[in-house]
Each structure stands twice: as structure tokens, then as C-alpha cells.
Amino acid sequence: MLNISTEHKKEHLYLEVYHYYKKLIMENRLLPGSKMPSLRKCAQELKLSRTTIENAYLQLAADGYIIARAQSGYYVTDIARKQHPHALEKHPRNIIPCIYDFASSGVDRESFRFDLWQRYIKSALRQDERMLSYGEPQGEKDFREVLSDYIRERRNVICSPDDIVVGAGLQSLLQILCPLLRERKTVSFPTPSFIQGSTVFEDYGFDVHYRDKTCDVIYVSPAHMTKWGEIMPVKRRLELIRHAEANGHLIIEDDFENEFVYLQKPTPSLFGLSGGENVIYIGSFSRLLLPSIRVSFMVLPPSLRELYEKKAARYNQTASKAEQIALCQFIRDGHMLSQTRKLRRLYAQKLKALTAAVKNAFGKNCQIITGAAGTSLALTIPCSSTGEQLKKAARLQGLRLEILNETENDITLVLSCSSIPVNDFLPACQLLKSVADNL
Amino acid sequence: MLNISTEHKKEHLYLEVYHYYKKLIMENRLLPGSKMPSLRKCAQELKLSRTTIENAYLQLAADGYIIARAQSGYYVTDIARKQHPHALEKHPRNIIPCIYDFASSGVDRESFRFDLWQRYIKSALRQDERMLSYGEPQGEKDFREVLSDYIRERRNVICSPDDIVVGAGLQSLLQILCPLLRERKTVSFPTPSFIQGSTVFEDYGFDVHYRDKTCDVIYVSPAHMTKWGEIMPVKRRLELIRHAEANGHLIIEDDFENEFVYLQKPTPSLFGLSGGENVIYIGSFSRLLLPSIRVSFMVLPPSLRELYEKKAARYNQTASKAEQIALCQFIRDGHMLSQTRKLRRLYAQKLKALTAAVKNAFGKNCQIITGAAGTSLALTIPCSSTGEQLKKAARLQGLRLEILNETENDITLVLSCSSIPVNDFLPACQLLKSVADNL
């Protein structure tokens, strides 16, 4: 029997009715398909107003416990049988496990010192007082100071901490930047493959073009011009800057993978070369540390910084405060530099080993292109099937591939060395060869 | 003497020249104001091409070491004296410390179990394999499953994990949502004070209105209708839903602070009441856990979910993967429920104690309004100065205030109890009284 204490406020009554029936239904004491008492009858029985009962029924219906049938009344649904409608979906159809992932954007599992990073996160979380408040919209002040020192030293980007805006990944930064560029309408990307970048610009109403020097905004990744790590030579950088200056264009320099340039010193940044007047510099640590750490930053030139400052307080910081604090101290203690050195050495060795493994597996029947940076090589092999067919056949054997290009007689793949251990290179390449041969 | 190994590629040469002069300048062996050798002379001396020297000089100039004077040549700047241009700015002007923060959006320092949260973060970071890859664009799958159970149980929001999108805070979610609503042009907010929300809509070209029932999108926070915690009664919720349905409007339900409703059970969500057809539900944990944890989520109705799925892969996840994994297990283990109960009890007690302290300090000479939820009360006191004057005078005494309203004779403040310990309520209120009296 429903027990209603009269002390309760009116608003509570309907909830008590709601819970009473919900319980009956979920315990199968009211079976699926059975009719609920009419509003009038229920109200009489419980000595409550019809409105109260109606509110309870509406809520029960809204939550899927009962359903209204026109001209007839309310009926119990079969919700009790499928309380967790997604419980069955929890185990997706048998998916073939990926053994060798040549298409990975992850990092080498040996490369990251989890124990070290845990120590820094732990120490960040110990700063109780600081964790109790929202983060600074622009990013934590001490972190921006460390960043400004770091990029001056490493990338010749000279800026004040106040020019730096921190965000949870590139897109969060572009979502702050795009509204500041409202008089600009067109943006040029180097290739259509960088969907993440172009989507944000499209979302803000920009016309997206490719390799179009006449656009208002020129987006470039000079340290990652192609998937196999070609870098933009200084001469072309200077040309690009001069052309942009002469035409009043804005350059967005996405310095992706600049740290993986295997020359003695990375090529100077566009921001540094231009003096930072009409270049926005964007940096990130996802390939250097962990992709799952969502901390990126951009350096704004003076004109945009002024516009940003007016709006800064309107945006909440997206990057985790704990991760900012941890990263700040991690860089201060010199770990970013040693991590960079370590990864550069590691990936240079791995790319060399992968090249050797490909040659071993394919003999002279292939063409390999490597760049001066990055973690991938381009491999062209003879194949009369389509790239999609090759990709599917490989996937069935546990091999994940990225197709770059295809002609009637051959297919070009991008093979990333980052996620596969060195000892697996040869078996992986041999598997790829056998898949291609048996197509 | 500059020592150039001939083995190097051409691109390296200019960098060697660059570093040679950089060193001389930074070590004060080339003094500020001194003239650099001409390009021709330098090229002759070093037996290098003029282009190489020019590239080195351009880079030195870009990095601020030298400066070009028209028709004259390059001169050393005073960069060596001010290597860290912001070093002096590190200690901002003497700011009066804030002793009592009545305007805080933070949380009570006693409320959060840092040790517990650290354990969960640590356990998340131990999942090495998972941390090595980018997060799922929509949010971690197991986290969305837990969320869907949680909001069904707590808020009667019935949805599948696939309807949930996770992001680093409300704005990150709106930045995914707004581009999906492109045929809608107008949005209504309850008050102009929620700048964070309206800014995103403005950024995407929406016309922002206030309390306008004719808008295409109606943004509401039913559990936080006013700053002092008024909640929207069920009757008005049902009206709102019916009106929106009849006119094809979309409701965005920001369920901010729904957990701080001090009735026995929170009022049902709009999403639950409507059956989720044209309501987007948005939830967050920042007031429940720590504002510095940036994890929010939204539940999309079927029509929008379809649009979202087409674009999902174009957006990177913004929320920290470690924090998602930690939060997932934290909720599973029941800590979110106990945290909610604890905070609701704590803030109910604190609001009561703050009310008593205000009455004690101001006597009958004030008016207090409290709502059924939240962490603040509204206080009206007689004051012939402006709100801005009161705010400034209070700040000089270490008191931070938020002004809600003012007339010729009185000022209404919002006093938040969240960041001030209970024992400080009385001295804080007495300080406020003395500031107001001495204006």
C-alpha cells in the first residue's frame, strides 16, 4: 500500500506515486501489457488530486515504464525485461585483433616513462588549494612561463607568456582563434587529409581550399609536409613569409612533429623567421609524451592577442589543470628535453630498421621514400587490386594499413614505425608481402 | 674562429653561422649597438655563400639578436641584458590577498577527498596500453556506459551510451553541437550573465536573445534558475516542453547544480519529462568534484545523434583520458553518490549557518532570499553608494563580492558559501557590514 506522509510538500507527492509504481513494474508485480488504474480511480484510492497522479503518470511514461494508448489509458511497457538496453551491446561482434598497426598515430610503448609521469601528476594533485578552483582561461600562468622559455630555446619563438593560449588539443585552440578572424573568409590547407583542422574552419563558415596561395589564412605544418616526414626548407619558409606579408595573409604554423626532425637541429620556425608578426604558432606534446594527454598551445601575434584579451574571460580553459601543472614541472626539470632526444634517436633507429625490413621482405620490387622527420615511410609496391581491397585483406590478417595513393599497377602505403616493436618489423613486412601477393 | 666541417649539408651551414654569432652576442663579446660585418665581408671571411650568411643574419634578426637599419647594415641589440624579458613581470604588483571570497565558483576545501581521487588517477595511469593512444572522439566507451546508467538512475534520463558525447567542459560540447544546428538561427538564454554559453553561440553566428520563447533554441538551467538557487517547478517544465514541441524548438537543458537541490529528490529533468525527443541534456561534475577536472557530457536526441555520427571522427576528444578512466571507476564504485550526499548535506548546513551569520551581523536591516538549491543566497542591504563602489571598498579589505542588483537605496549581493569555512562566516559578514557602513 502506498504510504504518503502528509508533511511533504505537494511537489513530492507525485514522486512518491511515481516510485511506488516504478517499483511494482520493475519487480514484475505489474506485468508488461497490464493496464494502469485510471487517473480518477487512482486519485480516489490514494486520496490525492488528479493532477498529482497525472504528473506521476507523465513521468512514468517519460521514463518508459508505461505508455499511453489513445482513448484507452496507460499500459505497462516491457522495460523490466530490458532494463539495461545496451547490456547486450557491450560485447561487440567478433573483431579481428590488430597484430601489427602500421597506421597508428600512437607512440612507442617503450618510449614513455609512466612511473615518472605518475610522480608529476601525483605532485600536481597534492596542490589541493590550486585544484579547488577553475583554471585560468588562458592556461596556468607558470605553465605559460615555462612554455615561453621552452619554445624560445627550442624553436626560436620569442614571445611573452601573455601571448600564449593553452587548450585541450589543436581543435580547442582553433575554436578560440576562428572567431577572432571574422574578417577573413578563406583558408588554405596543404592537403585534404587534415580533416580535424578543416572541419573547425568549416564550422565557422570559412571556405576551405587546398594549396591555394590566395587565401586569407594559410595553414601549414612545415615539419610534417607529407606523411613520410618531408620538412619545408628554409628558402621556401622565407618565400612563404614574404608572400603572406605582401598580401596581408595570416599564417598558421602547426609545428606538428618538429621535434622528430633527424637533422642536428630542427629547421627554424616560421614564427621565428617572420619575427612573429603575422604568424600564429601552434605546438603540442601529444606525439612527444602521450596522445592521451590533451595539452596544446598557440602563440598569438600582437594584433590577435589584443582581440583575444577582450574575449579571454568568456572561454573556460579546456585542458586539465592537473596535467598543466604536471607538464610545467616536467619541462622545468628537463625531462621534455631528454624525452625529445630519446624519441628522436629511437624513431631514427626504428625508421632505419623498418626500411631494412621492407627491403628484406620485398627485395627490389618496391620503392621506399623516407623524409627528414617523422615516424613513417612511404612504400610503393606493385599491386593490381585497389587500395581498399589491399587494406581489407590486410585487416583480416591482423594488419592495419593506411593507403596514400594508388595507380593501375601499384599502391603507395604509409607505414608508421611508432607502435610496432622493432623485432616485429620483419614478420609484419613479410605478412604484408604475402597479403599483397595473394590478392 | 668559426669552424665549419665540410661534410655538412648546405642547410646546416647557416645555422652554424647563426650559433657562432648568437654565442658572441649572448656572452657580450659583441656588445649592444656594435655593427655586424657586412654580408659580403662575412661571406669572404668564412668562405661561404652570401645566401648562407644572409639566412643566418635573417634568423639572428628574427630572434632579436641583431636588428637591420636601412641603408646601413645589421647592429647587435641589447638582448643579452634582457634575456628573459618577462623575468621582471613574474611578481605582479602587490595585490591585496582575498581573505573571504563570497564570489567564489570553487568548492569547499573539506569536501573533496584528494587521497581517494589520487588513487583513481594513479590506477588510470597504470593502464599503459590505453594511455598510449588517442581517446575515442565521443569519449571512452566504458565511461559513457557508466554515465548512461548514472543519469538514468539519478535523473531519469534514459539513453544509450551511444547518445552521449563527452568533452572538456560545457563550451567544448557546445562547439560540437552548434555546427549541427545550422538551420537554427536564434537562441534564448535565461539571463545575460551566462557569458560562457552565449559566447559560443555568437561565435557560430547565432542571434542571442534573453527569455524569448520564440527562439529556435531555448537554453535553460532548470536547477539553477537564479544565482540563489531557485529551481524550475515541474509544472513550468511541462509547459516549456509542450511549447517547444508545438513550435519545433530545441531545448538545451544545462543540469548545472541539479545535485545540490536540498529537497529529498531533485526535480525530474526536462529530458526525462519530454522523453528526450527535442531536448539536449548537459551534465558536468565540476561543482561535485573539482572545478579543475574538465569533464562534461551531453545526451543527444535521435535526430541530432544521427547528424553527429556522420561528423564524430572529425573531432578529437578534448577531455583528459586519464580523468575519464578515473571518473568511470569512481562512479562505478559508488563514490559519486556518497560525494553528492555529502555535499548536499554540507552546503545545506553551510547556507543555514551563513544565513544566521548575516542576520547576526546586519540584524533586521537586511533582506535574505534563499532558494531550494545551490550554494548561494541573495542579500539586500541598504546602501546609497553604487555596487561598484561597495565591491571596490570590500576588495581593499580582502573581501570579494558579486553584485546582483542595485537601486538608489540598496544593493543586492550574491553570497556564496562554498569556499569560506563555516567559522569564518561571522567575521566575514561583520567585515562586510563595516565596509558598507563606512562607505
Side-chain angles (χ1 to χ4, degrees):
Chain A
M1 182 53 209
L2 181 62
N3 190 355
I4 304 242
S5 110
T6 49
E7 303 239 332
H8 280 310
K9 293 196 198 122
K10 254 205 167 167
E11 201 138 307
H12 273 150
L13 290 175
Y14 91 95
L15 280 174
E16 300 228 21
V17 178
Y18 167 83
H19 281 293
Y20 172 70
Y21 280 110
K22 177 179 163 180
K23 201 157 175 273
L24 289 181
I25 292 166
M26 293 315 284
E27 289 170 4
N28 270 312
R29 288 152 67 196
L30 266 174
L31 288 170
S34 54
K35 192 173 187 299
M36 297 284 288
S38 72
L39 293 178
R40 197 182 44 84
K41 202 174 152 195
C42 186
Q44 275 179 349
E45 268 181 24
L46 300 174
K47 299 206 169 57
L48 291 170
S49 76
R50 263 188 68 156
T51 317
T52 303
I53 306 300
E54 184 169 30
N55 282 342
Y57 276 25
L58 276 169
Q59 180 69 39
L60 283 164
D63 293 357
Y65 296 102
I66 59 176
I67 191 166
R69 285 195 202 138
Q71 319 291 333
S72 165
Y74 286 93
Y75 291 82
V76 177
T77 67
D78 58 350
I79 193 169
R81 289 202 195 121
K82 47 173 190 181
Q83 182 171 20
H84 295 268
H86 57 278
L88 296 173
E89 291 166 33
K90 269 182 187 169
H91 299 287
R93 282 153 286 147
N94 266 350
I95 284 172
I96 294 151
C98 175
I99 310 168
Y100 305 122
D101 190 353
F102 276 127
S104 166
S105 58
V107 296
D108 185 279
R109 80 185 66 186
E110 304 298 326
S111 71
F112 190 66
R113 289 187 55 194
F114 280 95
D115 56 328
L116 189 68
W117 181 245
Q118 269 175 31
R119 269 213 314 273
Y120 280 89
I121 285 284
K122 217 173 141 185
S123 131
L125 288 174
R126 266 198 299 266
Q127 302 195 25
D128 295 15
E129 202 58 40
R130 223 173 139 180
M131 295 302 292
L132 285 170
S133 60
Y134 283 94
E136 277 189 64
Q138 200 170 343
E140 295 303 289
K141 175 90 190 212
D142 53 353
F143 180 46
R144 286 184 284 118
E145 280 167 4
V146 163
L147 281 177
S148 111
D149 288 342
Y150 181 81
I151 53 177
R152 183 177 50 245
E153 190 53 42
R154 302 289 303 160
R155 303 298 291 133
N156 301 319
V157 170
I158 296 187
C159 70
S160 124
D162 296 337
D163 302 329
I164 297 179
V165 181
V166 174
L170 174 78
Q171 289 185 318
S172 297
L173 297 172
L174 294 182
Q175 282 160 341
I176 289 174
L177 181 61
C178 282
L180 300 179
L181 309 179
R182 268 302 157 84
E183 80 285 10
R184 299 180 189 266
K185 301 286 177 211
T186 53
V187 60
S188 164
F189 279 83
T191 70
S193 69
F194 188 43
I195 296 272
Q196 270 77 14
S198 56
T199 293
V200 175
F201 279 90
E202 272 166 12
D203 284 350
Y204 285 97
F206 278 77
D207 278 335
V208 175
H209 301 253
Y210 302 102
R211 294 180 165 274
D212 181 346
K213 275 178 119 179
T214 66
C215 284
D216 301 334
V217 181
I218 313 283
Y219 193 105
V220 280
S221 311
H224 188 78
M225 296 236 302
T226 54
K227 297 225 172 192
W228 60 92
E230 278 183 293
I231 61 170
M232 192 186 285
V234 176
K235 199 177 151 222
R236 241 190 85 192
R237 293 185 191 223
L238 290 169
E239 277 167 16
L240 179 62
I241 290 166
R242 282 190 205 116
H243 185 270
E245 262 171 17
N247 295 280
H249 298 161
L250 197 67
I251 297 173
I252 300 181
E253 175 180 28
D254 179 351
D255 212 12
F256 184 68
E257 291 201 338
N258 79 75
E259 302 287 0
F260 297 160
V261 175
Y262 307 119
L263 300 167
Q264 270 187 310
K265 187 170 162 34
T267 317
S269 64
L270 292 169
F271 191 100
L273 287 172
S274 78
E277 267 311 317
N278 61 337
V279 178
I280 294 148
Y281 177 90
I282 298 185
S284 141
F285 297 108
S286 47
R287 292 307 304 276
L288 214 48
L289 299 172
L290 287 180
S292 45
I293 297 176
R294 307 300 295 146
V295 181
S296 300
F297 61 95
M298 63 180 168
V299 182
L300 296 176
S303 57
L304 284 172
R305 183 188 141 179
E306 219 170 279
L307 287 175
Y308 168 73
E309 270 172 4
K310 285 186 197 140
K311 283 183 79 184
R314 295 167 166 242
Y315 297 102
N316 289 322
Q317 177 53 243
T318 44
S320 151
K321 200 174 187 175
E323 288 177 2
Q324 288 182 67
I325 296 172
L327 212 41
C328 176
Q329 199 56 42
F330 188 86
I331 297 174
R332 262 190 205 144
D333 292 349
H335 294 304
M336 194 65 85
L337 287 187
S338 49
Q339 175 73 4
T340 304
R341 277 195 297 269
K342 184 174 150 191
L343 277 186
R344 205 184 294 168
R345 212 159 41 225
L346 175 74
Y347 288 139
Q349 283 165 358
K350 285 187 89 173
L351 266 183
K352 222 168 141 183
L354 181 59
T355 308
V358 170
K359 280 183 183 159
N360 189 319
F362 286 88
K364 288 191 173 162
N365 216 355
C366 72
Q367 200 196 331
I368 302 169
I369 315 177
T370 49
T375 59
S376 301
L377 57 81
L379 167 65
T380 307
I381 52 174
C383 187
S384 52
S385 305
T386 67
E388 203 46 45
Q389 285 167 334
L390 175 64
K391 198 171 158 179
K392 271 189 185 158
R395 191 66 195 80
L396 288 171
Q397 304 293 321
L399 209 56
R400 224 161 69 88
L401 296 181
E402 184 179 350
I403 309 294
L404 188 71
N405 212 344
E406 53 191 295
T407 68
E408 218 169 295
N409 302 314
D410 50 36
I411 293 178
T412 303
L413 307 161
V414 192
L415 304 186
S416 159
C417 73
S418 62
S419 288
I420 306 179
V422 172
N423 289 338
D424 286 353
F425 283 161
L426 191 55
C429 290
Q430 282 165 342
L431 184 57
L432 172 60
K433 172 92 166 43
S434 92
V435 170
D437 287 350
N438 292 313
L439 259 187
Chain B
M1 182 54 210
L2 181 61
N3 191 355
I4 304 241
S5 109
T6 50
E7 303 239 331
H8 280 311
K9 292 195 199 122
K10 252 202 167 167
E11 200 138 308
H12 273 149
L13 289 175
Y14 92 94
L15 280 174
E16 300 229 20
V17 178
Y18 167 83
H19 280 293
Y20 171 69
Y21 279 111
K22 178 179 164 181
K23 200 157 176 271
L24 289 182
I25 291 165
M26 294 314 284
E27 290 172 3
N28 270 310
R29 287 152 68 195
L30 267 175
L31 289 171
S34 53
K35 192 173 187 298
M36 297 285 286
S38 71
L39 292 178
R40 197 181 46 83
K41 203 174 150 194
C42 187
Q44 276 179 346
E45 267 181 24
L46 299 174
K47 299 205 169 54
L48 291 170
S49 76
R50 263 186 69 153
T51 317
T52 303
I53 307 298
E54 184 169 29
N55 282 343
Y57 276 25
L58 277 170
Q59 180 69 38
L60 284 165
D63 293 357
Y65 296 103
I66 59 175
I67 190 166
R69 285 195 201 139
Q71 319 291 332
S72 166
Y74 286 93
Y75 291 80
V76 178
T77 67
D78 58 349
I79 193 169
R81 288 201 195 120
K82 48 172 190 184
Q83 183 171 20
H84 296 267
H86 57 278
L88 296 172
E89 290 166 33
K90 269 181 186 167
H91 299 286
R93 282 152 286 147
N94 266 350
I95 284 172
I96 294 150
C98 176
I99 310 168
Y100 306 121
D101 190 353
F102 276 127
S104 167
S105 57
V107 296
D108 186 280
R109 79 184 69 185
E110 304 298 326
S111 71
F112 190 67
R113 288 185 57 194
F114 280 94
D115 55 329
L116 189 67
W117 181 245
Q118 269 175 31
R119 268 210 318 268
Y120 280 89
I121 285 284
K122 217 174 142 185
S123 131
L125 286 175
R126 266 198 297 266
Q127 303 195 25
D128 296 16
E129 202 58 39
R130 222 172 140 181
M131 296 301 292
L132 285 171
S133 59
Y134 283 94
E136 278 189 62
Q138 201 171 343
E140 295 303 289
K141 176 90 191 213
D142 52 352
F143 180 46
R144 285 184 285 118
E145 280 167 6
V146 163
L147 281 177
S148 112
D149 288 343
Y150 181 80
I151 54 177
R152 182 177 51 246
E153 190 52 43
R154 303 289 302 161
R155 304 297 291 133
N156 301 318
V157 170
I158 295 187
C159 69
S160 124
D162 296 337
D163 302 330
I164 298 180
V165 182
V166 174
L170 174 78
Q171 289 185 317
S172 296
L173 297 172
L174 294 182
Q175 282 160 341
I176 289 174
L177 181 62
C178 282
L180 300 179
L181 309 178
R182 268 301 157 84
E183 81 285 11
R184 298 180 188 267
K185 300 287 178 210
T186 53
V187 59
S188 164
F189 278 83
T191 70
S193 69
F194 188 42
I195 296 272
Q196 270 77 13
S198 56
T199 293
V200 175
F201 279 91
E202 273 166 10
D203 284 349
Y204 285 98
F206 279 77
D207 277 335
V208 175
H209 301 253
Y210 301 102
R211 294 181 164 275
D212 180 348
K213 276 178 119 180
T214 66
C215 285
D216 301 332
V217 180
I218 312 283
Y219 192 105
V220 280
S221 310
H224 188 80
M225 297 236 302
T226 55
K227 298 224 170 193
W228 60 92
E230 278 183 293
I231 60 171
M232 192 186 285
V234 176
K235 199 176 150 225
R236 242 190 84 193
R237 292 185 192 224
L238 290 169
E239 278 166 15
L240 179 62
I241 290 165
R242 281 190 205 117
H243 185 269
E245 263 172 16
N247 296 279
H249 298 161
L250 195 68
I251 297 174
I252 299 180
E253 175 179 30
D254 178 352
D255 212 12
F256 184 68
E257 290 200 338
N258 80 75
E259 303 287 359
F260 297 160
V261 175
Y262 307 119
L263 301 168
Q264 270 186 309
K265 187 171 161 35
T267 318
S269 64
L270 291 169
F271 190 100
L273 287 171
S274 77
E277 266 311 318
N278 60 337
V279 178
I280 294 147
Y281 178 88
I282 298 185
S284 141
F285 297 108
S286 48
R287 292 308 303 276
L288 213 48
L289 298 172
L290 287 180
S292 45
I293 297 176
R294 306 302 294 146
V295 181
S296 299
F297 62 94
M298 63 179 169
V299 182
L300 296 177
S303 57
L304 283 173
R305 183 188 141 180
E306 219 170 279
L307 287 176
Y308 168 72
E309 270 172 4
K310 285 188 198 141
K311 283 184 78 182
R314 296 167 166 242
Y315 296 102
N316 288 321
Q317 177 54 244
T318 45
S320 151
K321 200 174 187 177
E323 288 177 2
Q324 288 182 68
I325 296 172
L327 211 41
C328 176
Q329 200 54 43
F330 189 87
I331 298 174
R332 262 191 204 141
D333 292 348
H335 294 303
M336 194 66 85
L337 287 187
S338 50
Q339 175 72 4
T340 305
R341 278 195 295 270
K342 184 175 149 190
L343 277 187
R344 205 184 293 168
R345 212 159 41 224
L346 175 73
Y347 287 139
Q349 283 165 358
K350 283 187 90 173
L351 267 183
K352 222 168 142 184
L354 181 58
T355 309
V358 169
K359 280 183 183 158
N360 189 318
F362 286 88
K364 290 193 172 161
N365 216 354
C366 72
Q367 201 197 330
I368 301 168
I369 315 176
T370 49
T375 59
S376 301
L377 57 81
L379 167 66
T380 308
I381 53 174
C383 187
S384 53
S385 304
T386 68
E388 203 45 45
Q389 285 168 333
L390 174 63
K391 198 170 157 180
K392 271 190 185 159
R395 192 65 195 80
L396 288 172
Q397 304 293 321
L399 209 57
R400 225 160 68 88
L401 297 180
E402 183 180 350
I403 309 294
L404 187 72
N405 212 343
E406 52 191 296
T407 69
E408 218 169 295
N409 302 315
D410 49 36
I411 293 177
T412 303
L413 306 162
V414 191
L415 304 186
S416 159
C417 73
S418 61
S419 289
I420 305 179
V422 173
N423 289 339
D424 287 352
F425 283 161
L426 191 56
C429 290
Q430 283 165 341
L431 185 57
L432 172 60
K433 172 92 166 46
S434 93
V435 170
D437 287 350
N438 292 313
L439 260 186

